[in-house]
Amino acid sequence: MPASLQAAGITVAVIFSGVFGSSIGLVRIRESGMLDRMALLPVSPRRLTAGYVFANALLDLAQVAVPLVVFLLVHPPAPVGVVCAVVSFASAVVAANALGVLVAAVPGSSGEGHLYAIVAVMAAIMLSGLGAPAPYTQEFLPFWYLYAALVAAPGTSALAPVLAALLLGAVLMVSPWLFGRTGA
């Protein structure tokens, strides 16, 4: 199998596990009433949301790290390429989980949550240029940078953390609304 297909598979796995896992988990927390109870804690919604995103990101990092390491062993890049791949990988995982939280803010039920999550996953895959080359859209999401770093495109990881931070910032901005509070 060509390295580009393997890199695309790892990138899709990051998008799917991050968006789907994060959004469905949060929808279920809301349906069970736990989100309402968490809103009563003396902890800001932004801190709760950041904790949720990073906890899910750690789980996803652990799940997808094995295929990533195997890929890097089979297709060894230059030392700089390893750093680019790791930075892009971490950024993409955080961004996927942040996107999942944004998706979870919309649905009213678990069924809607599944539908919105799969639509968001497919949109992220297409907007990242993984489904078909799209030269003007692929660089707006950090997932393209993970794919590019894995196929050894030079200088591709610099913008990934910035894009992931912007997406996480957007999530933290809407987190009070997610918890039904307007305060910080």
Side-chain angles (χ1 to χ4, degrees), residues 6-184:
Q6 293 172 1
I10 290 171
T11 306
V12 168
V14 166
I15 296 170
F16 184 82
S17 66
V19 172
F20 211 81
S22 187
S23 65
I24 299 306
L26 196 54
V27 167
R28 287 189 177 157
I29 287 172
R30 185 177 29 202
E31 279 186 333
S32 71
M34 181 60 79
L35 202 58
D36 294 332
R37 288 179 271 183
M38 289 171 65
L40 298 175
L41 293 172
V43 179
S44 74
R46 288 184 177 99
R47 188 169 177 196
L48 287 170
T49 305
Y52 181 80
V53 167
F54 286 121
N56 280 328
L58 282 174
L59 289 172
D60 291 342
L61 281 169
Q63 289 176 348
V64 187
V66 172
L68 177 70
V69 169
V70 169
F71 178 85
L72 293 175
L73 289 173
V74 171
H75 307 285
V80 173
V82 173
V83 172
C84 288
V86 169
V87 167
S88 297
F89 176 61
S91 299
V93 169
V94 169
N97 280 282
L99 183 59
V101 171
L102 284 177
V103 170
V106 178
S109 69
S110 183
E112 285 180 10
H114 281 80
L115 177 65
Y116 293 157
I118 200 66
V119 167
V121 165
M122 293 301 166
I125 289 170
M126 295 310 289
L127 290 174
S128 296
L130 296 172
Y136 300 109
T137 59
Q138 63 194 15
E139 296 180 15
F140 293 116
L141 292 172
F143 312 119
W144 179 82
Y145 293 97
L146 172 59
Y147 171 75
L150 292 177
V151 294
T156 54
S157 68
L159 201 52
V162 174
L163 292 171
L166 287 172
L167 193 53
L168 182 59
V171 166
L172 296 179
M173 293 302 292
V174 300
S175 61
W177 176 75
L178 181 67
F179 283 88
R181 290 197 253 174
T182 55

